[in-house]
Amino acid sequence: MKKRTWISYPYVLWMIIFTLIPILLVLFLSLTDGRLYKLGEIQFTLDNFKRFLQPIYLDVFKRSLTLAGLSTIICLLLGYPMAMILSRMEPRKRNIVSLLFVLPMWMNFLLRTYAWMTLLGRNGVINRFLQTIGLPTLNLMYNDGAVLLGMIYNFIPFMILPIYSVLIKLDESLIEASYDLGASKFKTFMRIIFPLSLPGVISGITMVFMPAVSTFVISNLLGGGKYSLIGNLIEQQFLKVDDWSFGSAISIIMMIIILIFMAFTAKYDKDKEGGGGLW
Amino acid sequence: MVEKAIKRIYTALLFIFLYAPIGILIIYSFNESKSRGSWGGFTLKWYSELFKDEKIMTSLYYTIAIAIISSIVATIIGTLAAIGIHKMKPISKQIIMNINYLPVLNPDIVTGVALMTLFMFMNLELGFLSMLLAHITFNIPYVVLAVLPKLRQLNKYLSEAAMDLGATPFYAFRKVVLPEIMPGVISGALIAFTLSIDDFVISFFTAGSGVSNLSITIFSMARRGIKPTINALSTIMFLSVLILLLLINKKSLKEAKKK
């Protein structure tokens, strides 16, 4: 039979125009001094990358990594037990309960984040409640804590669901065998359940960490501050400061970091079949 | 017993955390007072005002139009691409799949600014078309990833058998291959539609000031305070998704019982 690979050519063309060329353009911009008015006078430079090494930008970078890392850890600590509970429910019940975890994701995520402003604000629901019971009001909005909360809130389903889907496929007889051989509950968890659930944990970590490190919406709405996270920095450079070259340089740095991170996690992802994955 | 109680309480707490903001939105959609802080009594006026609010209605229209068009186009291109990729030599397959993963792995914001840069170089004015192209671009990889596993499960002699029996390649594709991979195609289309409806970051960079979808409208309102009409809209959206899910769940439960 003829190999009709030609029917994938429209997509190949599409990828070249809308995936590869844009990335190459961003790379090109990041290496220029930003004056693109005359094609003949383009100056190539590494200044944009050097500029990123200034303490003010490195601080933003550090804060992004810290907040994304923290939110990933908290999502894992909160999400793993939930995935365990979920996987031990009777099938009928766990279908409905897992649907309830997906449901909020189908509401516009901006709206849900906005709703937290109503809860946390100076005159918000929580502070009003504190007032009525005679406690002092708290400064809950426009700080790192609020951003962290927003990240955990938005991304925790992405941690629970992959772990859950690995745990329900777990071979029950392995756990029983472990008990039969005299292992305690804790030991069974550490030696059997947790190692076997690692693929789910890894994909959960990626699915939380990546959007968390690149978000600018959550920090914009809940965090206040001008340059709070690396995502905000990129957004500012493109839309407010109009320094597309510096913005491109930060985008390239971020892309490289994420790809390195993916390369590390891809090693553990045994679910992927050959031919997929960047490595 | 204690363990069971702890599990129940833990689940309940997590659900309170997840649904508190949604609950707040729903409650405030019935609030007579316009401000977020105070309760002015029960009203349904925001629901009637919602349909008169031109800005929200146009952004709703753009959101749905873009989601429908982009998911249909992405499903067609993506399904054909998957069939072609499936038959490729390992090396070209590997290269194409790696590029296919780029929009999936790249942070939204990088995809957004990269496409915005492309449109600037193409001299294409940011608006409906640029936003549509961007949505198709981030949708296709998910369709490819949904269809490919179905193709791998497909018996490769099936379409050959059809052709031995006199079917033209196109007829064999339509009558034999397509029905077999249909579940993958449908789930690809659904993923594409959902991603498109929910997208903010990529739309934000590629729509410019030309058009505004719901996410962009909400984002621009958020700092000054969102109109209660948006709360009414989100209540309607939430309830329709909830009802839809319950219906699907009921149907699949019935089917499970039959078996």
Side-chain angles (χ1 to χ4, degrees):
Chain A
M1 190 171 72
K2 255 197 251 166
K3 288 186 176 247
R4 283 172 319 216
T5 53
W6 55 265
I7 62 170
S8 64
Y9 291 172
Y11 179 43
V12 173
L13 188 69
W14 190 287
M15 279 198 306
I16 293 171
I17 300 175
F18 293 104
T19 304
L20 286 182
I21 294 180
I23 291 174
L24 291 176
L25 279 176
V26 169
L27 185 66
F28 168 75
L29 271 182
S30 73
L31 293 169
T32 64
D33 63 355
R35 284 174 297 166
L36 292 168
Y37 312 113
K38 285 177 194 155
L39 271 174
E41 291 172 20
I42 290 170
Q43 294 282 320
F44 285 97
T45 166
L46 282 173
D47 282 353
N48 296 310
F49 290 94
K50 279 186 207 141
R51 195 172 147 201
F52 189 76
L53 296 175
Q54 285 173 17
I56 169 174
Y57 299 123
L58 284 182
D59 277 351
V60 173
F61 185 59
K62 246 191 328 209
R63 192 184 305 131
S64 294
L65 288 184
T66 317
L67 280 179
L70 265 178
S71 73
T72 311
I73 292 168
I74 297 172
C75 279
L76 181 60
L77 292 178
L78 289 176
Y80 201 102
M82 191 61 239
M84 285 277 280
I85 296 172
L86 204 55
S87 69
R88 292 278 172 280
M89 285 179 181
E90 50 178 310
R92 238 188 92 121
K93 217 169 140 193
R94 80 181 173 209
N95 278 340
I96 297 171
V97 178
S98 63
L99 268 183
L100 287 174
F101 277 107
V102 186
L103 188 57
M105 296 204 285
W106 282 351
M107 287 268 293
N108 194 298
F109 95 98
L110 281 156
L111 269 177
R112 286 181 290 131
T113 311
Y114 167 78
W116 275 107
M117 295 171 80
T118 315
L119 279 162
L120 301 175
R122 187 147 276 281
N123 288 316
V125 176
I126 293 173
N127 270 333
R128 274 178 182 264
F129 175 72
L130 289 175
Q131 266 173 356
T132 13
I133 58 169
L135 288 168
T137 55
L138 298 168
N139 232 342
L140 297 166
M141 275 275 281
Y142 303 129
N143 53 37
D144 282 358
V147 178
L148 193 61
L149 180 94
M151 286 177 174
I152 298 166
Y153 173 75
N154 270 306
F155 304 135
I156 197 168
F158 296 114
M159 183 65 85
I160 296 175
L161 294 171
I163 299 176
Y164 161 71
S165 67
V166 173
L167 284 177
I168 48 168
K169 282 186 226 140
L170 211 66
D171 190 350
E172 201 69 36
S173 54
L174 287 175
I175 299 165
E176 276 163 30
S178 164
Y179 288 145
D180 284 348
L181 293 168
S184 65
K185 268 195 154 176
F186 179 74
K187 204 165 182 184
T188 306
F189 176 78
M190 291 307 283
R191 303 285 283 271
I192 312 286
I193 300 177
F194 188 73
L196 285 175
S197 68
L198 263 182
V201 172
I202 297 291
S203 63
I205 289 176
T206 349
M207 284 170 78
V208 173
F209 183 78
M210 293 211 316
V213 83
S214 64
T215 182
F216 74 93
V217 184
I218 295 171
S219 42
N220 198 316
L221 294 181
L222 299 174
K226 204 173 161 201
Y227 292 145
S228 64
L229 298 185
I230 196 162
N232 300 83
L233 196 58
I234 296 178
E235 185 239 350
Q236 297 276 335
Q237 298 305 318
F238 273 92
L239 298 180
K240 306 258 162 64
V241 190
D242 223 13
D243 188 346
W244 287 35
S245 292
F246 186 45
S248 299
I250 311 167
S251 306
I252 294 287
I253 293 170
M254 184 136 110
M255 214 178 119
I256 292 170
I257 291 167
I258 297 249
L259 292 181
I260 292 173
F261 182 76
M262 290 303 301
F264 272 115
T265 54
K267 274 190 199 163
Y268 294 92
D269 204 350
K270 288 165 194 140
D271 267 1
K272 261 182 207 156
E273 289 174 57
L278 225 53
W279 277 270
Chain B
M1 271 327 275
V2 181
E3 206 191 306
K4 210 174 175 185
I6 292 172
K7 279 182 181 173
R8 285 243 168 101
I9 292 167
Y10 188 72
T11 314
L13 283 176
L14 256 181
F15 275 116
I16 291 172
F17 175 59
L18 280 178
Y19 282 89
I22 296 173
I24 287 289
L25 285 179
I26 294 175
I27 292 169
Y28 275 93
S29 74
F30 300 110
N31 185 8
E32 174 80 41
S33 155
K34 202 175 174 174
S35 95
R36 276 187 285 150
S38 53
W39 179 256
F42 182 88
T43 179
L44 285 172
K45 70 174 174 190
W46 305 117
Y47 288 87
S48 62
E49 268 187 38
L50 170 66
F51 297 99
K52 288 181 222 147
D53 191 322
E54 218 167 284
K55 193 165 166 52
I56 295 176
M57 281 295 136
T58 14
S59 18
L60 182 65
Y61 162 77
Y62 279 129
T63 307
I64 294 173
I66 296 257
I68 291 174
I69 304 172
S70 75
S71 54
I72 290 173
V73 176
T75 306
I76 294 169
I77 300 180
T79 306
L80 295 178
I83 294 166
I85 292 168
H86 182 64
K87 288 181 180 158
M88 278 178 184
K89 289 188 195 108
I91 300 169
S92 19
K93 195 173 179 174
Q94 185 77 40
I95 295 170
I96 302 244
M97 284 314 285
N98 279 341
I99 305 172
N100 187 59
Y101 265 102
L102 273 179
V104 180
L105 298 179
N106 240 343
D108 282 358
I109 190 168
V110 175
T111 309
V113 297
L115 283 166
M116 179 172 132
T117 311
L118 174 80
F119 296 140
M120 187 204 74
F121 272 83
M122 281 166 62
N123 254 331
L124 179 79
E125 204 181 325
L126 297 184
F128 186 85
L129 182 64
S130 58
M131 185 154 108
L132 181 64
L133 290 172
H135 277 237
I136 297 171
T137 306
F138 72 72
N139 276 339
I140 304 177
Y142 291 94
V143 177
V144 173
L145 289 174
V147 176
L148 267 182
K150 288 285 157 212
L151 285 164
R152 278 197 209 106
Q153 290 167 10
L154 195 71
N155 185 334
K156 61 178 174 182
Y157 301 113
L158 215 57
S159 58
E160 277 178 40
M163 282 187 266
D164 284 344
L165 293 169
T168 62
F170 181 71
Y171 191 81
F173 169 73
R174 205 160 52 92
K175 289 283 179 187
V176 178
V177 178
L178 199 57
E180 287 286 314
I181 62 171
M182 212 49 192
V185 176
I186 290 172
S187 71
L190 282 177
I191 296 169
F193 186 80
T194 319
L195 286 173
S196 174
I197 284 262
D198 202 43
D199 174 72
F200 165 69
V201 177
I202 294 170
S203 313
F204 182 62
F205 285 102
T206 53
S209 50
V211 293
S212 173
N213 66 6
L214 264 184
S215 304
I216 300 174
T217 307
I218 293 165
F219 184 72
S220 62
M221 279 183 185
R223 270 295 164 102
R224 287 172 283 126
I226 284 179
K227 286 189 204 156
T229 40
I230 289 275
N231 294 344
L233 177 69
S234 58
T235 306
I236 295 173
M237 279 163 61
F238 179 75
L239 289 180
S240 30
V241 174
L242 182 68
I243 290 166
L244 197 73
L245 279 182
L246 288 178
L247 285 177
I248 293 171
N249 202 49
K250 210 172 173 189
K251 202 179 151 212
S252 61
L253 273 182
K254 257 187 200 161
E255 271 164 21
K257 264 183 200 160
K258 263 185 215 161
K259 280 170 193 170

